[in-house]
């Protein structure tokens, strides 16, 4: 299977750490690239981010690090030494892609910037990730997910109605920026097939958050109206979001008036279904508070499972609000093989998520467990000398 992966034969020099860059290079590794993670003495910062750690008699690893570093090899290099720089230059010379997420200007000062490397390696694709981009007044600021979520407006419209600004519970700025830079790298590889030359591609956290705002940003640009938190509801569709039932919560998506009628029939909400105030989505949006109050009493008599069974039978989109244990106990998640146990150099084994694609009718394999620090240093340096 490895030889048939889309990026087989592509080598990536991975000068990234923490989340955005490692998430990107993990995706490239999933697609078959040989990703070589260049770590400084002491390793990626996230090796120390914990607890939680997974431990064995041979060592311990941060669960954070394990979550974003599958399908890579690790080499430990000190770029402050001539030997480390020499190895880094040799590694870059044999690579198709370089990915870095230092502050702008850092690699330029080491002689490893885009201008210097592209002059020597014209086919190299040079991918940079930063907090705020390579230009502009905030260029030299450090970028972290929580900073980007706040500055990009996301925290202002996330959260409960009337509540304080709230960060999304996963690092969406990092993950989305990592996905965007992966797309840019793939596009640059495709373009290189036409032109024979590499390109510099660049993504930053702030603009990634603004782009992720999509309809919220579009609403503001079109009307000047500043978005505010609406909890789990949708500003333009009702009912759409989380509803309480007898023993928990269910998400529903009643996206049109025909679904509304089926929703009411399935849950025996006869009076609501016949009420002309709620017959159209516009009417339901304008009468949101009253409708929510009336629905609450009607749904309290059902369990979560009963609601889902009735709505699924009626063809109304719905789903449970699961905790993480329920996610991985779900028979569909288990059937899809989302959690994969792999052999690990110090832990003996660990469990990671599988690559999130099917290509050619096959799921992509976890070829390598997340590496220990410098696990492949001797192997990789030997390849460079060879």
């Amino acid at each position: 299977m490895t030889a048939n992966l889309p990026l087989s034969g592509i080598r990536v020099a991975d000068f990234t750490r923490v989340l955005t860059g490692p998430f990107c290079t993990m995706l490239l590794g999933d697609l078959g690239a040989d990703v070589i993670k260049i770590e400084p003495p002491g390793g990626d910062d996230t090796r120390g981010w914990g607890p939680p750690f997974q431990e064995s008699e041979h060592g311990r690893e941060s669960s954070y690090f394990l979550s974003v570093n599958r399908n890579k090899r690790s080499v430990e290099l000190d770029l402050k030494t001539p030997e480390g720089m020499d190895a880094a230059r040799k590694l870059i010379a044999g690579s198709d892609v370089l990915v870095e997420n230092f502050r702008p200007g850092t690699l330029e000062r080491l002689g490893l910037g885009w201008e210097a490397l592209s002059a020597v390696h014209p086919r190299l694709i040079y991918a940079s990730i930063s907090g705020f981009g390579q230009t502009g007044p905030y260029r030299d600021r450090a970028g972290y997910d929580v900073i980007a979520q706040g500055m990009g407006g996301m925290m202002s419209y996330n959260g409960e109605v009337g509540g304080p600004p709230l960060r999304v519970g996963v690092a969406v700025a990092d993950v989305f920026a990592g996905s965007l830079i992966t797309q840019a790298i793939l596009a640059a590889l495709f373009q290189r097939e036409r032109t024979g030359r590499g390109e510099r591609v660049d993504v930053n956290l702030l603009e990634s958050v603004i782009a992720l705002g999509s309809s919220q940003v579009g609403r503001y640009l079109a009307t000047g109206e500043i978005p505010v938190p609406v909890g789990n509801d949708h500003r333009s569709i009702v009912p759409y979001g989380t509803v309480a039932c007898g023993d928990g919560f269910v998400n529903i998506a009643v996206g049109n008036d025909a679904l509304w009628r089926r929703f009411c029939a399935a849950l025996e909400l006869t009076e609501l279904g016949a009420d002309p105030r709620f017959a159209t989505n516009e009417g339901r949006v304008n009468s949101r508070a009253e409708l929510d109050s009336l629905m609450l009493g009607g749904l309290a008599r059902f369990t979560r499972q009963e609601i889902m069974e009735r709505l699924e039978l009626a063809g109304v989109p719905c789903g449970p609000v699961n905790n993480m244990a329920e996610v991985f106990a779900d028979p569909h998640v288990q059937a899809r093989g989302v959690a994969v146990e792999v052999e690990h150099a110090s832990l003996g084994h660990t469990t990671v998520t599988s690559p999130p694609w099917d290509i050619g009718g096959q799921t992509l394999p976890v070829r390598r467990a997340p590496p220990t620090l410098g696990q492949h240093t001797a192997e990789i340096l030997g390849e460079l000398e060879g």
Side-chain angles (χ1 to χ4, degrees):
M1 176 67 178
T2 302
N4 296 325
L5 293 174
L7 295 185
S8 295
I10 297 295
R11 174 168 284 184
V12 177
D14 177 8
F15 287 85
T16 71
R17 68 267 189 233
V18 187
L19 180 53
T20 312
F23 186 81
C24 160
T25 55
M26 179 178 70
L27 297 181
L28 296 174
D30 291 344
L31 290 167
D34 177 18
V35 175
I36 299 177
K37 184 177 180 68
I38 297 99
E39 300 192 67
D44 188 320
D45 293 350
T46 58
R47 289 189 181 274
W49 284 12
F53 295 96
Q54 185 176 346
E55 302 189 45
S56 76
E57 59 181 320
H58 301 294
R60 73 175 191 168
E61 297 287 343
S62 158
S63 65
Y64 197 114
F65 179 87
L66 293 172
S67 72
V68 289
N69 283 287
R70 65 177 180 251
N71 287 330
K72 302 177 186 180
R73 298 192 285 167
S74 169
V75 57
E76 189 175 8
L77 297 180
D78 187 351
L79 298 183
K80 296 179 181 178
T81 67
E83 295 81 7
M85 282 297 297
D86 181 62
R89 289 184 180 280
K90 288 180 179 177
L91 181 55
I92 293 167
S95 296
D96 300 275
V97 180
L98 181 153
V99 189
E100 61 92 12
N101 63 347
F102 291 94
R103 287 198 199 189
T106 300
L107 287 188
E108 281 78 1
R109 289 190 291 272
L110 293 173
L112 299 179
W114 160 246
E115 296 293 341
L117 292 181
S118 64
V120 182
H121 309 296
R123 288 179 57 82
L124 180 69
I125 291 159
Y126 194 105
S128 295
I129 308 160
S130 62
F132 301 95
Q134 304 299 314
T135 61
Y138 300 156
R139 173 181 184 268
D140 294 328
R141 291 190 184 183
Y144 282 88
D145 177 85
V146 66
I147 307 300
Q149 285 199 37
M151 292 182 69
M154 180 165 287
M155 290 175 63
S156 73
Y157 55 77
N158 184 53
E160 292 298 327
V161 176
L166 189 65
R167 181 181 71 88
V168 178
V170 70
V172 292
D174 283 321
V175 171
F176 190 56
S179 300
L180 291 178
I181 196 70
T182 303
Q183 294 174 31
I185 290 168
L186 296 176
L189 284 169
F190 183 73
Q191 181 169 281
R192 192 179 71 173
E193 293 299 303
R194 297 171 169 173
T195 66
R197 295 191 62 84
E199 292 287 350
R200 184 172 197 180
V201 296
D202 180 66
V203 164
N204 69 78
L205 299 187
L206 176 60
E207 290 170 43
S208 296
V209 168
I210 295 170
L212 189 57
S214 57
S215 61
Q216 297 282 28
V217 173
R219 187 186 189 101
Y220 168 73
L221 294 176
T223 67
E225 178 185 344
I226 297 176
V228 295
V230 293
N232 291 332
D233 290 334
H234 194 290
R235 294 177 65 89
S236 302
I237 308 172
V238 175
Y240 185 108
T242 306
V243 296
C245 55
D247 63 347
F249 297 91
V250 177
N251 282 327
I252 57 174
V254 181
N256 58 50
D257 296 336
L259 284 174
W260 166 249
R261 292 189 290 272
R262 302 213 301 261
F263 171 83
C264 291
L267 298 178
E268 302 172 9
L269 303 174
T270 307
E271 291 185 11
L272 289 183
D275 193 319
R277 294 174 299 170
F278 310 135
T280 67
N281 181 69
E282 183 178 358
R284 294 191 294 275
V285 170
N286 291 332
S287 305
R288 182 193 300 268
E290 186 174 2
L291 177 58
D292 286 347
S293 177
L294 293 171
M295 275 202 312
L296 186 63
L299 299 182
R301 67 185 188 276
F302 295 109
T303 67
R304 186 171 77 164
Q305 187 61 35
E306 287 171 340
I307 287 180
M308 289 194 300
E309 287 175 354
R310 285 170 173 258
L311 293 184
E312 286 173 3
L313 187 63
V316 178
C318 63
V321 179
N322 287 333
N323 62 36
M324 201 55 68
E326 291 169 324
V327 170
F328 285 96
D330 188 293
H332 182 82
V333 173
Q334 292 182 347
R336 295 286 299 171
V338 174
V340 181
E341 187 172 290
V342 291
E343 291 298 315
H344 188 273
S346 68
L347 300 175
H349 62 83
T350 189
T351 302
V352 297
T353 54
S354 61
W357 301 287
D358 286 1
I359 295 181
Q362 293 183 303
T363 56
L364 303 185
V366 179
R367 310 186 318 279
R368 297 180 182 273
T372 57
L373 175 59
Q375 178 181 343
H376 306 96
T377 298
E379 174 183 304
I380 291 166
L381 293 182
E383 291 173 5
L384 297 178
E385 291 303 319

